[in-house]
Amino acid sequence: MRAGLTTESPLCVFFFALPSSCARCKDRSITFTSWSVIKMFSASQSSKAQFLDKARQAREERRELKERERAAVQIQALVRRFLCRCHLQKEIRREVEDFFQTAESGASKRSALSVFRIARKLLFVFNHKEDKERFEKLCRCILNSMDVENEPKVWYVSLALSKDLTLLWIKQIKDILWFCCEFLKQLKPDILQESRLVNLHLTMLVTFTDTSTWKILRGKGETLRPAMNHICANIMGHLNQKGFYSVLQILLTNGLARSRPSLSKGSLTAIFSLALRPVVAAQFSDNLLRSFLIHVMSVPAIMTHLATLTPERLAVIESHDLFRKFIIFLSREAQCRDVCVCLEGSHTLCLLGNLVYLGSLNDKVLEDETAHFVGVLIHMLSYCQKYVSQKKSNLTHWHPVLGWFSQTVDYGLNESMPLLTKQLQHLWGVHMIRILFSDVLSKKLLENQEIAQLPTQPVSPQNSLPMKNLFKRAFQKSASVRNILKPVGGKRVDSAEVQKVCSICVLYQTTLTTLTQIRLQILTGLTYLDDLLPKLWAFICELGPQGGLKLFLECLNNDTEESKRLLAMLMLFCDCSRHLITILDDIEVYEEQISFKLEELVTISSFLNSFVFKMIWDGIVENARGETLELFHSVHGWLMVLYERDCRRRFAPEDHWLRKDLKPSVLFQELDKDKKRAQLLLQYIPHVIPHKNRVLLFRNMVTKEKEKLGLVETSSASPHVTHITIRRSRMLEDGYEQLRQLSQNAMKGVIRVKFVNDLGVDEAGIDQDGVFKEFLEEIIKKVFDPALNLFKTTSGDERLYPSPTSYIHENYLQLFEFVGKMLGKAVYEGIVVDVPFASFFLSQLLGHHHSVFYSSVDELPSLDSEFYKNLTSIKRYDGDISDLGLTLSYDEDVMGQLVCHELVPGGKTIPVTNENKISYIHLMAHFRMHTQIKSQTAALISGFRSIIKPEWIRMFSAPELQRLISGDNAEIDLEDLKKHTVYYGGFHGSHRVIIWLWDILANDFSPEERAMFLKFVTSCSRPPLLGFAYLKPPFSIRCVEVSDDQDTGDTLGSVLRGFFTIRKKEPGGRLPTSSTCFNLLKLPNYSKKSILREKLRYAISMNTGFELS
């Protein structure tokens, strides 16, 4: 030690007071301290503060060193512990492996105690990934021990009888079984190797949750069974608390939620037995029933799989009366809501399907618990319906049964949807319908042999003969079966019977609005029984004190639950009946009269007509929302199907559809005031207004538009006039070129035509609408001539429709658009043209083919009645339709070449079978009337609608539209014609030639000849719809004395001679002529009535008119 440094000095005290580190760091600490002392000595002039700071830093460094030392010790301890543990685990696993190798060698049977001990060791070090195979060996070892005969010490379960080991054994078996459950959650039954492990773990669970297979309880051991059962119940309770049912649900879903199940019969039997044990043990307590319903009964189509793979399980369900218990449990609204909320929408539907399937197997329970069963299904469907959306959005998902669904959809269930649908089909299957609607179906419709007592309906003169025959056949066929079903009333709506039927109707109505993607299947099932709908109508007729209309109108104004249920019954009846009539062909409706007799359709349509009228006229529809609006559309849809069927082929009497209490004048006043109810009436049921009033309304709409567009001449302004020059030899070409480029408003405006003859000279004459009328008639006559091949005629009645081979024309679509404009212009100007269209084409012109209720098959007779008969004969073919060798294709001879049209992609290779023959019929009808002429029809409709607004003609049916185009098909009213005839050239109403003319027309000419006379003068054989007062130009007769090429019109001399019946020379050799553009008959001043008759008859038969005046 250096001089001056003693042990007592403060610096020495500081040095020796410094705590030393561990031996390894001691030298370093001394060195560091010495350096500090030297430094302090060398800085003797430093302050005390610096000294203290240095001391503090030194202390911090020493503390840090201590922390490092302690951390190093801890790390060493952890590493030693880890290594020790790894060593121990390795030793235990080696011991376990040795144990199982010895056991597998079969050298000696291992005792239960040794298995128990080795299991404790394995469970002590158990890791799911590393010990998977060892655990499997342990399970097999335990199961093997249970199979040994007459060696109690080997039976693993024997340890449960040891006082010292009982609790430890129970703890161990609980752990083992739960590990089995955790493995089951991860295994995939569709993989062969994993399916074997599924069986292993299930066998463990089955063996140790029930004492039935325990050999230790045989014989004298039977006395121990209660105690052992108690242990099993304890084990099962532990598994339930850990989530046993969730494990089973995952396993069942993995194995069954697919088109073909991957679970074997044994596995499915084991799983279902395991699921049922807690429920039975707890004597069907609510908690366990709830778990069973949520986790097991919600597995897609599990009941179907049980019936297929292990039907004895269904017998177990029946023996425990589980279906009744499920229904009663769910009949409590709170519990049903709880179950639905726990399940997603898709799984709620799966539960519903399984319950329906069980119901189809348990008739007795279904009959006893109908009310509860119906209530449960309504509640579950209503829950699903809350999430059914009308359209796609970012928040919706597609569901194959429910449609757009606003809950998350488990797409893993999609494979099982066909099986689920088959389960749901039992709900609208014949068997269940007979049970649920037993009260309705058990009623017998009254018989009546007295045909004479049946009420008759007045018929119109022109339809009297066919209508009489039709009604006569209908009454003869049906009167011996039942009375006409009319509302009679008398049944209390609050009776148990009515409430039950209403609930069932609510169920099926809710099913229709929820299961949107299989709606047609449901309707088809509900209409399968021919007598259900007539008897349901009879049931409806009996409701209330007076029955029918009054009761349901009262329900509309009452927002009570009872009213809603009654309206749901009406709604279901309408939806089903509409579907039935839509799918039935004319033979089934008019001749076979399936389900409804014709007179019943008359009664029903009268009820529907009144109901819809009241809903609109009383303002109910204006503010309708939700269920009320759905009811309106349902009733209105059924009404319109009947109305359109009647328009095609009459079954109702004349004026059946009119409302006598609706005055057209009142309606027109309300339309002028833009009253909502009047607009709705015109939109939904225009047929309640007389046809002539609708035509007047149409003409008023046209007139108002003309005024709005400035197309009507006024005192202050004249409309713009478009002038065109047409060569007679190229009338169609010139008209097409000059008119197709006109704007929409110009086409609606005034068009003046100047004709140029073959020599290129302008023809004499001033067009004051007359020449344009001739031009329009000639154009239409040319384009609709079948020889041009733009249009074809139907077989039989030779009505026009677009030709499928019209594509051979250049720019054929532009031609069709031009034709549509010309036809629209004729209707717009009120010019009747004699163009008879096929009924199906008129329906397309009206847009009916876009309706969901439109049936191509119904319209097919208007195209080809023979083809229709042949096609519908396929529907009635009793044998195997595949024997006919048909495919989903249509072979057609197109200009000498055989062309095959596929009705569906690949159709020529798809045979027609009994399963798809109905689809084939509809596809064929749709192809013939729509697909073949789709582009031509679209082009023509586009041109037509550019002139005539679609909403203007929606108030007409197809036959009425034909009358609007071609005039009335009624007989000519000569008095009306006489009243509105204008005379020229000296003729007047009292002139003898004129008197002879009217007398000849009235008494000598047949109706056909009168039609020929009208066509001779006006170019159309039919009178104007609103009478001759609306014929433009007016019907005129002029006296002529010379040939047409010498005719200079009316001169003073010719007028005086005609007026005083003075003849310049005998005109006996001349024929009457006409100027159709002016609706003018040019009649010589004949001296004898017989000559007039002879010449006029010859002229109209030889068609010598059509000269230009």
Side-chain angles (χ1 to χ4, degrees):
M1 189 166 294
R2 297 175 64 177
L5 185 63
T6 64
T7 56
E8 287 81 11
S9 68
L11 191 57
C12 285
V13 171
F14 170 74
F15 178 82
F16 290 109
L18 286 174
S20 64
S21 183
C22 62
R24 288 171 296 181
C25 304
K26 192 169 184 181
D27 293 340
R28 182 183 172 190
S29 298
I30 292 171
T31 303
F32 176 76
T33 305
S34 301
W35 177 81
S36 299
V37 171
I38 293 168
K39 192 174 181 182
M40 283 190 285
F41 273 113
S42 66
S44 56
Q45 71 273 16
S46 62
S47 65
K48 182 179 179 181
Q50 288 176 328
F51 173 79
L52 292 174
D53 186 56
K54 300 293 183 182
R56 182 182 59 76
Q57 289 180 5
R59 285 196 302 274
E60 290 293 331
E61 289 180 7
R62 288 195 301 277
R63 185 162 52 249
E64 184 179 344
L65 289 172
K66 280 187 177 182
E67 288 296 327
R68 287 177 182 174
E69 180 185 23
R70 188 161 47 249
V73 171
Q74 286 181 349
I75 290 171
Q76 289 172 357
L78 285 171
V79 170
R80 284 195 298 270
R81 186 168 67 184
F82 173 75
L83 292 173
C84 183
R85 190 165 64 247
C86 287
H87 177 72
L88 179 61
Q89 288 175 350
K90 186 179 284 188
E91 289 296 322
I92 290 174
R93 287 191 173 101
R94 187 181 297 115
E95 185 181 349
V96 171
E97 289 287 351
D98 293 342
F99 179 87
F100 289 137
Q101 283 179 3
T102 307
E104 288 171 0
S105 66
S108 62
K109 294 176 182 177
R110 295 291 185 173
S111 67
L113 185 59
S114 63
V115 175
F116 172 76
R117 285 172 179 166
I118 206 69
R120 285 193 74 184
K121 291 181 179 181
L122 179 59
L123 294 177
F124 177 69
V125 299
F126 186 73
N127 179 277
H128 277 85
K129 290 184 179 179
E130 292 186 32
D131 299 315
K132 182 179 178 182
E133 291 185 10
R134 297 181 187 90
F135 185 76
E136 293 166 12
K137 291 178 181 178
L138 174 64
C139 291
R140 288 193 175 93
C141 184
I142 291 173
L143 291 173
N144 289 337
S145 75
M146 296 294 290
D147 291 336
V148 176
E149 294 289 341
N150 301 320
E151 293 192 37
K153 290 185 178 181
V154 177
W155 295 333
Y156 177 70
V157 77
S158 64
L159 297 177
L161 303 178
S162 170
K163 291 182 180 179
D164 298 331
L165 299 176
T166 300
L167 295 178
L168 292 174
W169 181 84
I170 292 173
K171 171 71 169 60
Q172 186 180 92
I173 195 63
K174 284 180 179 178
D175 292 341
I176 291 173
L177 293 182
W178 181 245
F179 285 142
C180 288
C181 291
E182 290 190 331
F183 279 117
L184 284 172
K185 284 196 291 187
Q186 300 168 4
L187 295 172
K188 299 188 182 302
D190 53 334
I191 300 174
L192 179 62
Q193 186 59 36
E194 293 193 10
S195 69
R196 292 171 181 167
L197 296 179
V198 168
N199 290 335
L200 173 65
H201 297 310
L202 285 175
T203 306
M204 282 291 294
L205 288 165
V206 169
T207 302
F208 292 101
T209 55
D210 186 76
T211 62
S212 59
T213 60
W214 294 2
K215 295 181 174 64
I216 197 170
L217 299 182
R218 294 177 183 173
K220 294 180 180 179
E222 189 65 36
T223 56
L224 301 172
R225 190 174 295 278
M228 295 294 101
N229 284 339
H230 185 71
I231 290 175
C232 286
N234 183 276
I235 294 170
M236 187 57 81
H238 171 77
L239 294 177
N240 282 338
Q241 287 180 351
K242 298 274 282 183
F244 180 60
Y245 274 113
S246 296
V247 173
L248 296 183
Q249 182 181 21
I250 293 170
L251 183 59
L252 285 168
T253 304
N254 288 340
L256 300 180
R258 53 186 66 243
S259 55
R260 296 182 63 183
S262 57
L263 288 174
S264 64
K265 175 180 178 179
S267 298
L268 185 57
T269 303
I271 296 169
F272 198 77
S273 299
L274 286 169
L276 209 53
R277 279 178 183 174
V279 181
V280 176
Q283 297 182 341
F284 309 99
S285 67
D286 284 353
N287 283 339
L288 285 168
L289 277 175
R290 175 182 178 276
S291 296
F292 192 89
L293 286 166
I294 291 173
H295 297 291
V296 179
M297 290 297 292
S298 65
V299 174
I302 186 172
M303 293 297 115
T304 301
H305 291 302
L306 285 177
T308 305
L309 296 175
T310 172
E312 56 272 13
R313 292 299 97 193
L314 290 179
V316 172
I317 292 175
E318 189 174 353
S319 66
H320 290 299
D321 204 13
L322 266 182
F323 176 60
R324 189 191 303 272
K325 291 180 173 64
F326 290 153
I327 295 303
I328 292 174
F329 173 82
L330 292 170
S331 65
R332 296 188 281 274
E333 188 176 340
Q335 293 176 178
C336 187
R337 189 186 308 112
D338 173 49
V339 169
C340 291
V341 169
C342 289
L343 297 171
E344 288 185 354
S346 296
H347 290 280
T348 302
L349 196 64
C350 293
L351 172 59
L352 181 72
N354 286 317
L355 290 175
V356 168
Y357 186 78
L358 272 183
S360 68
L361 302 177
N362 292 269
D363 293 358
K364 182 67 169 63
V365 178
L366 197 59
E367 291 169 4
D368 295 343
E369 304 293 341
T370 297
H372 287 151
F373 176 74
V374 169
V376 167
L377 296 195
I378 290 172
H379 192 95
M380 295 175 75
L381 286 166
S382 299
Y383 175 80
C384 292
Q385 193 181 69
K386 290 192 299 184
Y387 302 100
V388 174
S389 301
Q390 293 299 317
K391 59 183 178 179
K392 180 181 179 181
S393 73
N394 293 333
L395 301 176
T396 57
H397 307 269
W398 177 254
H399 191 284
V401 175
L402 299 166
W404 290 113
F405 200 65
S406 59
Q407 270 191 342
T408 303
V409 174
D410 186 350
Y411 291 105
L413 301 181
N414 280 5
E415 277 190 62
S416 59
M417 282 300 127
L419 283 175
L420 172 61
T421 304
K422 283 187 178 180
Q423 283 188 320
L424 292 171
Q425 284 171 354
H426 289 283
L427 182 59
W428 49 88
V430 172
H431 182 68
M432 195 167 288
I433 286 177
R434 288 195 185 280
I435 294 174
L436 296 181
F437 279 108
S438 57
D439 290 346
V440 174
L441 292 170
S442 62
K443 293 185 177 298
K444 290 185 178 180
L445 298 173
L446 298 176
E447 293 185 357
N448 183 6
Q449 302 292 342
E450 299 295 331
I451 297 177
Q453 294 179 4
L454 292 170
T456 58
Q457 301 284 355
V459 293
S460 61
Q462 64 267 30
N463 291 325
S464 60
L465 184 59
M467 285 300 293
K468 276 184 179 178
N469 293 337
L470 187 63
F471 274 105
K472 185 177 179 181
R473 289 199 304 271
F475 283 127
Q476 287 174 345
K477 184 175 180 68
S478 64
S480 61
V481 180
R482 61 178 185 248
N483 278 325
I484 299 174
L485 300 174
K486 289 187 174 182
V488 292
K491 192 184 290 291
R492 289 180 60 88
V493 294
D494 57 354
S495 65
E497 180 190 8
V498 173
Q499 292 301 310
K500 178 183 174 183
V501 175
C502 284
S503 295
I504 294 165
C505 291
V506 170
L507 166 62
Y508 284 110
Q509 194 58 40
T510 310
T511 306
L512 286 169
T513 53
T514 305
L515 310 182
T516 57
Q517 300 309 297
I518 53 174
R519 179 182 173 88
L520 290 180
Q521 284 187 36
I522 301 167
L523 289 170
T524 302
L526 290 170
T527 55
Y528 188 81
L529 289 176
D530 290 342
D531 57 341
L532 175 61
L533 292 176
K535 289 182 176 180
L536 186 58
W537 171 245
F539 189 84
I540 290 172
C541 290
E542 295 175 356
L543 296 178
Q546 297 176 341
L549 185 63
K550 187 175 181 181
L551 171 68
F552 288 103
L553 288 174
E554 289 174 356
C555 289
L556 286 172
N557 297 314
N558 297 330
D559 193 24
T560 63
E561 195 62 33
E562 184 181 87
S563 296
K564 290 179 180 178
R565 290 152 72 90
L566 285 168
L567 292 173
M569 176 165 54
L570 176 62
M571 193 170 170
L572 180 70
F573 171 74
C574 290
D575 286 343
C576 293
S577 302
R578 176 183 62 201
H579 177 75
L580 175 67
I581 294 297
T582 302
I583 62 177
L584 293 180
D585 56 48
D586 283 355
I587 295 172
E588 292 166 325
V589 172
Y590 292 92
E591 296 173 21
E592 297 176 4
Q593 298 187 37
I594 291 177
S595 286
F596 292 109
K597 306 307 172 189
L598 289 178
E599 60 272 19
E600 289 170 1
L601 293 180
V602 172
T603 306
I604 292 169
S605 59
S606 177
F607 167 84
L608 298 174
N609 208 34
S610 299
F611 187 80
V612 172
F613 173 76
K614 289 288 185 182
M615 283 192 77
I616 294 173
W617 205 244
D618 293 348
I620 297 172
V621 177
E622 290 181 42
N623 306 310
R625 297 288 184 276
E627 293 175 352
T628 305
L629 194 59
E630 288 177 10
L631 171 70
F632 173 77
H633 288 309
S634 180
V635 178
H636 174 258
W638 175 210
L639 171 66
M640 295 314 294
V641 166
L642 288 176
Y643 174 69
E644 287 167 16
R645 176 79 74 164
D646 183 63
C647 289
R648 281 198 305 272
R649 182 174 171 182
R650 294 290 299 276
F651 65 80
E654 186 72 12
D655 298 337
H656 170 75
W657 303 98
L658 301 180
R659 290 291 303 180
K660 300 291 176 26
D661 53 345
L662 175 65
K663 293 183 178 180
S665 58
V666 174
L667 177 67
F668 293 166
Q669 288 173 9
E670 295 207 1
L671 284 171
D672 290 338
K673 296 176 183 177
D674 291 331
K675 289 289 185 71
K676 187 68 175 176
R677 69 174 186 176
Q679 294 171 347
L680 290 172
L681 193 75
L682 202 61
Q683 177 183 347
Y684 287 110
I685 48 171
H687 59 255
V688 301
I689 310 164
H691 178 241
K692 283 196 173 183
N693 294 102
R694 277 179 280 145
V695 176
L696 273 173
L697 186 61
F698 171 77
R699 299 307 328 164
N700 288 340
M701 289 175 176
V702 172
T703 302
K704 284 181 180 179
E705 186 184 76
K706 283 185 174 182
E707 291 172 353
K708 185 179 178 181
L709 297 175
L711 303 178
V712 179
E713 187 155 359
T714 62
S715 57
S716 59
S718 296
H720 173 73
V721 177
T722 301
H723 293 275
I724 61 173
T725 302
I726 303 295
R727 291 172 290 179
R728 279 201 177 271
S729 59
R730 293 180 57 83
M731 190 178 294
L732 177 58
E733 294 84 347
D734 289 352
Y736 171 70
E737 286 298 329
Q738 296 186 52
L739 293 179
R740 74 184 182 91
Q741 298 174 356
L742 293 182
S743 67
Q744 183 174 313
N745 287 348
M747 276 296 298
K748 293 180 178 181
V750 179
I751 300 175
R752 298 294 184 207
V753 178
K754 179 175 282 295
F755 281 115
V756 177
N757 64 21
D758 295 340
L759 300 175
V761 179
D762 291 351
E763 292 185 1
I766 300 172
D767 185 2
Q768 296 294 331
D769 294 334
V771 178
F772 178 74
K773 175 177 178 286
E774 182 194 6
F775 162 72
L776 191 62
E777 289 168 347
E778 288 297 314
I779 283 281
I780 287 175
K781 182 181 177 182
K782 285 179 183 294
V783 295
F784 286 106
D785 185 352
L788 189 62
N789 197 36
L790 276 179
F791 288 82
K792 284 184 71 173
T793 55
T794 61
S795 61
D797 54 0
E798 295 190 344
R799 291 182 168 269
L800 294 162
Y801 70 98
S803 171
T805 56
S806 55
Y807 57 80
I808 62 173
H809 290 280
E810 187 179 357
N811 300 325
Y812 72 102
L813 293 181
Q814 289 88 334
L815 269 173
F816 272 103
E817 186 176 2
F818 171 70
V819 171
K821 288 180 179 180
M822 291 294 97
L823 188 63
K825 179 68 172 174
V827 175
Y828 194 77
E829 300 297 344
I831 300 171
V832 291
V833 288
D834 201 358
V835 183
F837 286 114
S839 175
F840 79 89
F841 179 69
L842 290 167
S843 294
Q844 294 183 44
L845 203 57
L846 289 167
H848 290 171
H849 59 297
H850 294 305
S851 169
V852 293
F853 312 121
Y854 180 81
S855 171
S856 299
V857 178
D858 290 340
E859 295 276 16
L860 189 57
S862 68
L863 172 66
D864 190 336
S865 57
E866 195 61 34
F867 183 74
Y868 169 77
K869 288 179 182 177
N870 294 336
L871 201 58
T872 51
S873 67
I874 295 173
K875 182 179 179 180
R876 295 171 176 78
Y877 187 73
D878 294 331
D880 186 356
I881 201 72
S882 59
D883 294 340
L884 301 181
L886 299 171
T887 60
L888 294 181
S889 61
Y890 173 62
D891 294 329
E892 183 185 24
D893 184 358
V894 180
M895 293 181 287
Q897 290 187 339
L898 190 64
V899 178
C900 178
H901 304 281
E902 292 188 329
L903 303 180
V904 295
K908 61 184 177 183
T909 62
I910 303 174
V912 178
T913 64
N914 288 341
E915 288 70 34
N916 66 6
K917 65 181 182 181
I918 300 299
S919 296
Y920 169 73
I921 293 169
H922 283 270
L923 286 169
M924 182 67 82
H926 184 78
F927 176 80
R928 286 291 306 275
M929 294 188 297
H930 298 274
T931 309
Q932 267 193 316
I933 57 173
K934 184 178 180 180
S935 56
Q936 294 95 321
T937 302
L940 189 144
I941 290 175
S942 173
F944 184 79
R945 288 182 177 177
S946 68
I947 309 296
I948 302 295
K949 292 181 179 179
E951 57 269 24
W952 289 353
I953 58 172
R954 281 195 191 124
M955 55 182 155
F956 301 109
S957 64
E960 289 170 340
L961 179 59
Q962 180 66 68
R963 291 166 66 188
L964 191 68
I965 295 170
S966 301
D968 207 333
N969 54 4
E971 284 191 28
I972 298 169
D973 186 348
L974 288 176
E975 290 300 320
D976 182 49
L977 178 59
K978 188 189 303 184
K979 181 179 177 182
H980 296 98
T981 297
V982 180
Y983 301 101
Y984 298 102
F987 276 161
H988 49 82
S990 301
H991 195 287
R992 67 176 185 180
V993 175
I994 299 302
I995 294 172
W996 292 342
L997 174 66
W998 296 124
D999 185 61
I1000 290 168
L1001 289 171
N1003 300 316
D1004 296 342
F1005 276 18
S1006 66
E1008 291 75 18
E1009 287 176 317
R1010 286 193 285 271
M1012 290 167 63
F1013 168 76
L1014 188 62
K1015 185 171 184 176
F1016 176 76
V1017 181
T1018 67
S1019 78
C1020 185
S1021 60
R1022 297 178 178 182
L1025 272 181
L1026 300 175
F1028 288 98
Y1030 288 84
L1031 182 65
K1032 301 295 181 184
F1035 191 91
S1036 308
I1037 303 175
R1038 184 152 68 87
C1039 177
V1040 292
E1041 297 178 329
V1042 293
S1043 60
D1044 283 313
D1045 56 353
Q1046 297 173 332
D1047 184 15
T1048 57
D1050 292 340
T1051 63
L1052 180 61
S1054 68
V1055 170
L1056 289 173
R1057 283 194 296 273
F1059 189 82
F1060 294 109
T1061 320
I1062 303 171
R1063 289 187 301 281
K1064 190 175 182 181
K1065 60 181 180 180
E1066 177 59 49
R1070 288 208 58 210
L1071 292 172
T1073 57
S1074 66
S1075 294
T1076 56
C1077 56
F1078 291 108
N1079 298 326
L1080 173 65
L1081 172 65
K1082 292 187 278 190
L1083 197 62
N1085 191 359
Y1086 292 113
S1087 59
K1088 294 181 181 178
K1089 182 179 178 182
S1090 59
I1091 298 175
L1092 172 60
R1093 183 190 308 111
E1094 177 190 346
K1095 298 296 183 182
L1096 185 61
R1097 182 170 276 149
Y1098 180 80
I1100 64 174
S1101 62
M1102 296 304 292
N1103 204 14
T1104 57
F1106 304 104
E1107 289 93 356
L1108 179 67
S1109 177

